[in-house]
Amino acid sequence: AVALPWQRVLSARRVSRIAESKLPRPYTVPLTIPPVLTPARRDDTTDYYRIVQKPFVGEILPSVKTDLWGYNGLVPGPTIVARRNRQTKVRQVNALPETHPTLGYRPWTSTHLHGSPSEPHFDGYASDLTYPGQWKDYEYPNSAEARTLWYHDHGKHHTAENVYMGLAGQYHIVDPLEDKLRLPRGKHDVPLTITDAMFAEDGSLMFDDDDRTSFFGDVILVNGKPWPVVGVEPRKYRFRLLNACLSRGMNLRLSNGQPFHVIAPDGVIVETPIRLTSLRIGMAERYEIVVDFAGITAGQSIQLVNTGVENTKDYDHTGKVLRFTVKGSATDTDFNNLPAALAPQHPAMALTPAMAKTTRRMRLRRDDTTNEWSIDNVTWADVEASGFTKLFGNPQPGDVEIWEIDSRSGGWFHPLHVHFVDFKVLSRNGGPPRPEENGAKDVVYVAEGERSVRLIMQFSKPGGTHGRYMIHCHNLTHEDHDMMIQYQIGAHHADSDPINTAPPRSGPETPL
């Protein structure tokens, strides 16, 4: 049974109700690395995977049992590594219980490969639901450049609870250009999925979305472990940071003030490394960074810490994330490179306002009467009521557009995700984008009260992908209530309907 008591919690220095003696001291639990998933089979063009979404009893806190849901019974799920332009087919089997034992909802799922230009019927559309006992095969072309993506549940109204229970994992696309850069790889290329949680007296997960505003836990987890510690060699490491929290934005830095380099915002490798000493990362954003531990004396430690962002509840230990302890000498100095020139300019970064066919404006807001979030006063319920025809926009393949975002109501920040496209952040309130945003992105952090965050993007190519895709806030409590709309590239066709073209199936599975 899965226990997620739906109970209100109060602002405090800690909110977990488990005895404090059962929480580990920060930086005492070893970091674990999710395994790389092996294909069930391969042919000349495609790698085939099978993943089961299932309940299991795990150990997040040492010697404490916690009921979780995971891809193949793992939290986070196993990492998939795909090569560019080699397809993958991933079967997702919903083996979750018929009814959530505490919250009472039926745990339907819809798996979104976040950052992938997938066809609409394989994109994890929120109303394309796979119910317990059903399965669906998702097909991915992996046509995008080398990048860090992640796969997670996207079923309407319960994305927050399902992701919180553990339905999230990283997905990496690699390509020959990346190979030539000789960036850190193997054990020196480390995925770091950051989440937060709160625990009841018996070790079960507690959930409280504070009247549909946000969820903030007091225990920071990295790869499913609380405030872990990891040994590193005195050399360069590549860390694939993913903020998979439901609502917690972070501002990350190293405790010794040491600079590091962003090589990929939202996973797309930039032209030149971006040198920073702090990094703001909203929910669903990914940043690949390179940290050089060569100047740290063996035996010394430095921490990855979180100095917090506005409108986030901080507790005793939410400023702590991860500790690195430098050990011995470098056993391997190969792939220890950070070139001054990385990748060719991404096509999104070459877009200019003069290319734009139109400018669209959207306002992010909350209705204080209904506690519903909306985009331009439209919710996902409105989209459903329209028979899924209501659109924010209908660009044609090849069109370039500017989207201008206004968030002067509600008092919250919103990491806005646009499915399918990579975009360029043109400006913030008339000024330049933040340094870490100087690369192609698919999530933009829209801060409290920002009046004009401008994005520019190109939709497919003439003759390319068409169909409907979602736009939503990645504060998952906002998304679930009901801050999500859609746009459509070109015409709507039966061969790319996000619900009906490739529906989930029931009964015995066919061979992969």
Side-chain angles (χ1 to χ4, degrees):
V2 178
L4 233 75
W6 188 282
Q7 48 190 325
R8 292 294 306 277
V9 294
L10 302 175
S11 297
R13 297 304 298 168
R14 64 185 297 259
V15 290
S16 289
R17 293 179 177 167
I18 194 170
E20 195 162 5
S21 61
K22 293 186 177 181
L23 292 175
R25 288 185 297 106
Y27 311 138
T28 57
V29 175
L31 178 74
T32 61
I33 307 300
V36 174
L37 190 60
T38 301
R41 75 178 180 93
R42 293 184 170 97
D43 62 25
D44 290 344
T45 62
T46 306
D47 293 335
Y48 299 82
Y49 296 90
R50 180 177 183 269
I51 293 178
V52 181
Q53 307 160 7
K54 61 183 180 180
F56 71 103
V57 178
E59 191 174 288
I60 295 178
L61 307 177
S63 302
V64 175
K65 302 301 181 185
T66 301
D67 293 306
L68 301 165
W69 294 351
Y71 294 116
N72 286 354
L74 297 172
V75 174
T79 301
I80 294 177
V81 178
R83 289 207 69 84
R84 186 180 186 188
N85 294 324
R86 180 172 173 81
Q87 300 176 85
T88 53
K89 180 181 284 189
V90 182
R91 175 167 296 173
Q92 293 283 354
V93 181
N94 185 337
L96 298 173
E98 189 65 26
T99 304
H100 191 287
T102 302
L103 304 183
Y105 70 90
R106 193 179 186 194
W108 54 65
T109 61
S110 181
T111 305
H112 173 48
L113 181 55
H114 183 126
S116 169
S118 306
E119 295 290 332
H121 42 293
F122 299 127
D123 189 52
Y125 195 73
S127 296
D128 175 25
L129 303 178
T130 301
Y131 292 93
Q134 294 185 318
W135 50 276
K136 174 166 176 163
D137 291 339
Y138 291 83
E139 299 177 9
Y140 305 122
N142 300 313
S143 56
E145 304 85 352
R147 61 181 62 195
T148 298
L149 304 89
W150 65 302
Y151 61 103
H152 64 84
D153 182 63
H154 215 306
K156 65 174 184 177
H157 302 317
H158 298 296
T159 298
E161 295 102 314
N162 289 351
V163 171
Y164 183 51
M165 290 296 293
L167 293 180
Q170 291 202 20
Y171 185 113
H172 305 160
I173 296 178
V174 297
D175 65 15
L177 172 64
E178 181 185 25
D179 294 340
K180 292 178 182 177
L181 295 175
R182 303 189 72 77
L183 295 164
R185 65 190 302 180
K187 67 180 181 180
H188 305 116
D189 179 357
V190 184
L192 298 177
T193 298
I194 305 172
T195 56
D196 59 345
M198 63 175 78
F199 294 88
E201 293 91 335
D202 62 356
S204 59
L205 292 173
M206 296 170 58
F207 184 90
D208 174 28
D209 69 358
D210 195 15
D211 288 332
R212 301 179 175 181
T213 58
S214 291
F215 170 90
F216 298 113
D218 59 349
V219 178
I220 301 297
L221 308 175
V222 183
N223 294 351
K225 298 298 180 182
W227 308 290
V229 60
V230 60
V232 294
E233 299 175 0
R235 53 154 292 156
K236 294 182 179 70
Y237 279 73
R238 176 183 186 177
F239 296 109
R240 298 175 186 258
L241 299 173
L242 161 63
N243 182 347
C245 297
L246 304 189
S247 305
R248 182 177 295 282
M250 293 185 165
N251 194 60
L252 301 176
R253 65 177 182 86
L254 295 172
S255 59
N256 63 350
Q258 175 179 328
F260 51 86
H261 290 85
V262 169
I263 62 169
D266 286 348
V268 185
I269 297 178
V270 293
E271 296 173 71
T272 58
I274 303 167
R275 188 177 185 271
L276 298 173
T277 55
S278 66
L279 170 67
R280 187 176 72 180
I281 180 168
M283 298 78 79
E285 288 188 293
R286 292 91 59 217
Y287 283 100
E288 295 183 25
I289 66 172
V290 172
V291 180
D292 193 350
F293 298 100
I296 309 297
T297 303
Q300 291 187 341
S301 297
I302 60 173
Q303 301 173 31
L304 181 65
V305 298
N306 166 38
T307 57
V309 298
E310 288 187 78
N311 282 333
T312 297
K313 291 182 181 178
D314 295 315
Y315 301 110
D316 283 340
H317 298 297
T318 50
K320 304 176 179 70
V321 180
L322 173 68
R323 187 171 76 185
F324 305 103
T325 299
V326 179
K327 297 185 176 181
S329 57
T331 59
D332 180 4
T333 56
D334 201 7
F335 292 94
N336 190 27
N337 199 29
L338 180 60
L342 292 171
Q345 185 181 53
H346 187 281
M349 301 307 292
L351 300 176
T352 65
M355 300 177 183
K357 186 174 182 179
T358 190
T359 296
R360 302 186 192 274
R361 293 175 175 85
M362 63 171 66
R363 185 179 181 186
L364 313 180
R365 66 179 300 273
R366 186 187 191 216
D367 186 320
D368 291 329
T369 302
T370 64
N371 290 344
E372 293 290 310
W373 298 89
S374 66
I375 301 175
D376 281 350
N377 293 317
V378 176
T379 67
W380 193 248
D382 297 323
V383 173
E384 290 183 306
S386 74
F388 301 100
T389 60
K390 191 174 186 64
L391 304 173
F392 170 72
N394 185 201
Q396 300 305 300
D399 282 359
V400 176
E401 294 190 354
I402 293 172
W403 290 6
E404 187 170 337
I405 307 162
D406 181 316
S407 183
R408 284 179 287 176
S409 66
W412 297 88
F413 71 89
H414 302 285
L416 193 77
H417 175 39
V418 183
H419 284 225
F420 182 77
V421 296
D422 296 324
F423 54 73
K424 174 184 177 179
V425 181
L426 281 174
S427 62
R428 286 186 173 275
N429 308 305
R434 293 173 62 90
E436 61 263 34
E437 295 177 318
N438 284 306
K441 291 182 58 60
D442 56 55
V443 179
V444 62
Y445 189 118
V446 183
E448 301 87 336
E450 289 202 283
R451 67 184 185 277
S452 175
V453 179
R454 300 174 76 236
L455 316 177
I456 189 168
M457 61 200 83
Q458 183 170 31
F459 300 90
S460 186
K461 299 291 183 183
T465 298
H466 53 265
R468 296 170 183 164
Y469 292 94
M470 295 176 293
I471 311 161
H472 63 88
C473 177
H474 230 290
N475 181 326
L476 294 183
T477 61
H478 296 183
E479 175 189 320
D480 284 343
H481 303 288
D482 204 21
M483 200 174 197
M484 183 161 56
I485 58 174
Q486 66 176 354
Y487 72 98
Q488 180 176 297
I489 303 173
H492 176 70
H493 296 300
D495 64 354
S496 62
D497 184 277
I499 297 176
N500 300 310
T501 298
R505 302 171 68 178
S506 302
E509 295 180 47
T510 59
L512 268 171

